[in-house]
Amino acid sequence: MRETCVPTGVALKDTGFGYTLSLVNGKYKMVILYWLSENKVMRHNELKRSIGTISFKTLSVMLKELEEDGLVIRQEYPQIPPKVEYSLSERGQSLMPLLNMMCDWGEANMFTPEHIKR
């Protein structure tokens, strides 16, 4: 068992912790992954409606980055009008236990006295 995720003298970017953060870094990436895990397959506009506060361009950039990182699969259908669907890759699905642990932690700690004082 390791002592720490970020050992002394090792740059954060050179650790597994830093690598994971680099994949999900950004205001919306975890939210996009969440919606895709809940709905399995979604189109761009469905994701935009589900998230609500994201611009068309930002969503496009986030999806492209998630696809480049191998977390999301983009499936384009050659038809008129064009149809594109997004889903989690196997690699993206492997992040879901982490997302679920974050949910559990948030639910357990949301209404603690420390939180209420703020």
Side-chain angles (χ1 to χ4, degrees), residues 23-40 42-44 46-55 58-59 62-63 66 71-72 86-88 92 95-96 98-100 102-103:
L23 293 179
V24 296
N25 187 28
K27 184 175 179 180
Y28 296 104
K29 285 185 179 178
M30 291 293 282
V31 176
I32 292 167
L33 294 171
Y34 164 79
W35 282 112
L36 289 176
S37 75
E38 288 291 307
N39 294 286
K40 306 304 179 217
M42 295 182 81
R43 296 179 71 181
H44 191 280
E46 291 175 310
L47 275 165
K48 185 170 179 346
R49 277 192 302 274
S50 295
I51 297 168
T53 58
I54 193 170
S55 71
T58 300
L59 178 57
M62 297 288 111
L63 285 167
L66 288 166
L71 301 176
V72 168
Y86 296 91
S87 60
L88 289 180
L95 274 172
M96 291 309 100
L98 174 63
L99 188 73
N100 291 331
M102 290 175 67
C103 263

Side-chain angles (χ1 to χ4, degrees), residues 2-3 6-8 30-31 43 49 55 65-66 72 79 84 89 91-92 97-99 101 117-118:
R2 79 179 154 271
E3 276 185 41
V6 185
T8 304
M30 291 293 282
V31 176
R43 296 179 71 181
R49 277 192 302 274
S55 71
E65 289 176 6
L66 288 166
V72 168
Q79 63 185 49
V84 177
S89 67
R91 187 173 192 218
L98 174 63
L99 188 73
M101 287 172 48
K117 288 179 186 176
R118 290 187 180 181

